[in-house]
Amino acid sequence: MVRMDNIVKSFGPQTVLSGVTFEAREKQIFGLLGRSGAGKTTIINILTNQLKADSGSHEIGAPPFETGLMLDEDGLFPRLSCIENLDVFATIYKIPRKKALEALQNVELGGSEKKPVNKLSKGMRQRLALARAILHEPKALFLDEPTSGLDPVTAHGIHKLILQLRDRGTTIFLTTHNMEESVKLCDYVALLHGGKIVEQGVPTEVCERHNAMKTMPDMEAVFIKMTGEAAE
Amino acid sequence: MRSISAIFVKQARDALKNATIFIQFILFPIMAFVMTEMMAKPDPEIPNSMFAVTFGAMFAGMTPLTLIAMAIAEDKENKSLRFLSMAGVKPHHYLTGITGFVLIACAVVSVLFALIAEFSGMLMIRFVGVLLLGATASAALGATVGIFAKNQQSATALATPLAVMLALVPMMSQFNESVRRIAGVVFTVQMNVIFTNEPTASMAEPLLMICANIVVFVGLFVLAYKKKRLNS
């Protein structure tokens, strides 16, 4: 469904990607892991044709209008309300307003549809960006660090939604530098380092290969249990 | 067509919520109205249409330029253009939507100026038509500035001096022969020529000059677009 074959990309003298190859299968959550600046966003940019690779080939098994995108820069129209932001894309995709309202409900922004974007918190903006990305029920969804900077309850809500989307048949390609998130969500992961994929596989198998299975206190679960009932 | 109407509606909603933009649409007609009522009407030596004509020409020269430049630069800066492009909005759809809204709003305001000037019939059509031609030239220049500007700040820094120059050149050329000779090629000066000539005088030459301005600015825009692209 989402494939990259021997992709090379340089910015001036700096080579960011040097022969990246991977394949994300249909209806799975594929996690691209790497440190900040490893080239994860560059890979999304190349896959979504916002950036040209120097060499190599890539493909998404869906046309651009059947892909959804959520980036760290949300691209929302700041003075328009939540529903007006979605209206712009609903008109483009020829989707009834009812669906836009449903998308807002799905990301728990049901009561904030008339709130201007510049009055929303970071977490609410992230959720609105996600609502816009899934508005047209895309076949492939690209999420660039979807929970970065969010509190555990909001992040948990977004995790739930991502899993629901996968269960409904969406192929999800997400980048993260949160390793716990990758284990919790991803069916398959690839580790990007030094411009190359240095490890890939099913998360538990990857951890087993590196003797990295461990049990540790889960403070996040406690936090969500104590504070997150409203978001459930 | 759906993309154009989505962008048109988005821009209309945004203009109503953006004080900086909204003021530009109402400031010039309010000033023309107040000065006509307070200065022109009580003084028989000042024609009733003088202030409406002067402020109308200033409005047509300044407003579309700054508004379009700022709108494009803001959408670029916020990365909204990227999401629109992913949703299948072509650059020419985007530009048509933005420019279409600004020109229609300019047409409405031009009619207000005509009413303040107490023009009717053919005189009104002639006045509004010339203002709209001027607004089209200004819009093409604004789109060029918007493409070159990296963000809103640089768009304002580029557009404001250009807009002020376009607005003031007709007045300056009335007092200085050298300025008049050089500035005769500028569309706002030619608009002023049409408005200060007798209504029965031929408009062919100044209209040709305004159209030449439009051709030059559209040409500049095409060059800028080829060099920079909308989403660069």
Side-chain angles (χ1 to χ4, degrees), chain A residues 29 70 103-109 123-124 126-128 130-131 134 141 143 146-148 150-166 168 172 174 181 184-185 220-221 223-225 227-232:
Chain A
I29 301 177
M70 179 190 176
L104 283 179
Q105 297 281 358
N106 282 339
V107 295
E108 292 163 10
L109 283 175
M124 290 166 97
Q126 295 265 78
R127 281 186 276 152
L128 179 59
L130 186 57
I134 60 171
L141 182 60
L143 306 173
T147 56
S148 135
L150 297 184
D151 67 82
V153 176
T154 311
H156 180 66
I158 288 185
H159 288 166
K160 259 174 62 181
L161 188 61
I162 291 172
L163 290 169
Q164 279 169 13
L165 288 165
R166 189 266 320 264
R168 278 188 243 151
I172 296 165
L174 76 85
E181 182 175 74
K184 202 185 283 181
L185 288 181
E220 190 184 314
F223 186 91
I224 290 166
K225 189 179 169 194
T227 65
E229 277 79 6
E232 289 295 315

Side-chain angles (χ1 to χ4, degrees), chain A residues 41 44-45 48-50 64-65 67-71 73-81 83-85 87-94 97 132 142, chain B residues 1-7 9-15 17-19 21 74-75 77-89 94 152 231:
Chain A
T41 306
I44 287 197
N45 286 344
T48 55
N49 291 319
Q50 305 290 317
F65 59 88
T67 57
L69 183 63
M70 179 190 176
L71 299 173
E73 288 172 294
D74 56 41
L76 297 165
F77 303 112
R79 285 173 294 275
L80 300 192
S81 67
I83 189 67
E84 285 169 344
N85 261 278
D87 271 347
V88 174
F89 290 86
T91 309
I92 294 166
Y93 292 127
K94 212 177 172 185
R97 193 172 222 235
R132 181 191 55 199
F142 293 87
Chain B
M1 196 62 201
R2 279 201 316 271
S3 302
I4 295 172
S5 83
I7 301 298
V9 172
K10 167 241 152 193
Q11 203 54 35
R13 283 172 165 168
D14 193 63
K17 293 176 183 191
N18 186 343
I21 289 183
E74 186 181 18
D75 284 345
E77 189 179 1
N78 291 343
K79 303 281 184 276
S80 309
L81 276 179
R82 187 171 176 187
F83 290 90
L84 291 171
S85 139
M86 277 293 290
V89 176
Y94 172 79
Q152 277 197 90
N231 205 6

Side-chain angles (χ1 to χ4, degrees), chain B residues 71-153:
Chain B
I72 295 175
E74 186 181 18
D75 284 345
K76 259 164 84 169
E77 189 179 1
N78 291 343
K79 303 281 184 276
S80 309
L81 276 179
R82 187 171 176 187
F83 290 90
L84 291 171
S85 139
M86 277 293 290
V89 176
K90 302 271 180 270
H92 61 275
H93 293 158
Y94 172 79
L95 290 165
T96 310
I98 298 272
T99 314
F101 165 73
V102 172
L103 289 181
I104 286 177
C106 282
V108 173
V109 177
S110 300
V111 171
L112 278 180
F113 279 117
L115 293 172
I116 295 167
E118 297 176 346
F119 291 146
S120 58
M122 276 311 288
L123 216 53
M124 183 192 254
I125 293 169
R126 173 180 175 270
F127 177 73
V128 172
V130 172
L131 282 188
L132 274 180
L133 267 183
T136 308
S138 173
L141 193 56
T144 312
V145 171
I147 283 192
F148 270 113
K150 277 189 179 157
N151 50 39
Q152 277 197 90
Q153 210 177 355

Side-chain angles (χ1 to χ4, degrees), chain A:
Chain A
M1 180 76 180
V2 180
R3 185 188 58 78
M4 254 195 173
D5 193 12
N6 212 16
I7 288 285
V8 176
K9 177 70 190 171
S10 302
F11 294 103
Q14 193 194 357
T15 303
V16 179
L17 306 175
S18 47
V20 171
T21 301
F22 62 78
E23 187 174 353
R25 290 203 194 121
E26 216 169 317
K27 298 175 189 176
Q28 74 169 194
I29 301 177
F30 181 94
L32 182 64
L33 318 180
R35 295 173 67 172
S36 298
K40 303 186 294 290
T41 306
T42 304
I43 286 181
I44 287 197
N45 286 344
I46 291 171
L47 282 170
T48 55
N49 291 319
Q50 305 290 317
L51 197 63
K52 264 193 171 168
D54 298 336
S55 64
S57 64
H58 62 90
E59 140 180 66
I60 308 172
F65 59 88
E66 285 189 19
T67 57
L69 183 63
M70 179 190 176
L71 299 173
D72 52 343
E73 288 172 294
D74 56 41
L76 297 165
F77 303 112
R79 285 173 294 275
L80 300 192
S81 67
C82 296
I83 189 67
E84 285 169 344
N85 261 278
L86 294 193
D87 271 347
V88 174
F89 290 86
T91 309
I92 294 166
Y93 292 127
K94 212 177 172 185
I95 289 170
R97 193 172 222 235
K98 206 179 100 191
K99 284 257 180 191
L101 288 166
E102 269 173 32
L104 283 179
Q105 297 281 358
N106 282 339
V107 295
E108 292 163 10
L109 283 175
S112 306
E113 65 252 33
K114 288 186 179 159
K115 223 175 181 180
V117 165
N118 53 17
K119 296 271 190 291
L120 300 179
S121 67
K122 187 182 178 194
M124 290 166 97
R125 282 181 78 126
Q126 295 265 78
R127 281 186 276 152
L128 179 59
L130 186 57
R132 181 191 55 199
I134 60 171
L135 177 67
H136 55 305
E137 294 170 1
K139 282 186 179 161
L141 182 60
F142 293 87
L143 306 173
D144 192 7
E145 296 180 9
T147 56
S148 135
L150 297 184
D151 67 82
V153 176
T154 311
H156 180 66
I158 288 185
H159 288 166
K160 259 174 62 181
L161 188 61
I162 291 172
L163 290 169
Q164 279 169 13
L165 288 165
R166 189 266 320 264
D167 294 342
R168 278 188 243 151
T170 308
T171 304
I172 296 165
F173 183 96
L174 76 85
T175 70
T176 184
H177 49 219
N178 180 341
M179 299 304 132
E180 278 180 44
E181 182 175 74
S182 71
V183 173
K184 202 185 283 181
L185 288 181
C186 300
D187 301 305
Y188 198 89
V189 292
L191 265 74
L192 182 67
H193 183 67
K196 285 190 165 143
I197 300 292
V198 291
E199 178 61 280
Q200 57 182 312
V202 175
T204 47
E205 290 173 8
V206 169
C207 290
E208 272 168 12
R209 267 206 296 274
H210 294 269
N211 295 320
M213 297 295 279
K214 61 178 179 181
T215 308
M216 60 185 290
D218 189 354
M219 187 56 80
E220 190 184 314
V222 177
F223 186 91
I224 290 166
K225 189 179 169 194
M226 302 305 290
T227 65
E229 277 79 6
E232 289 295 315

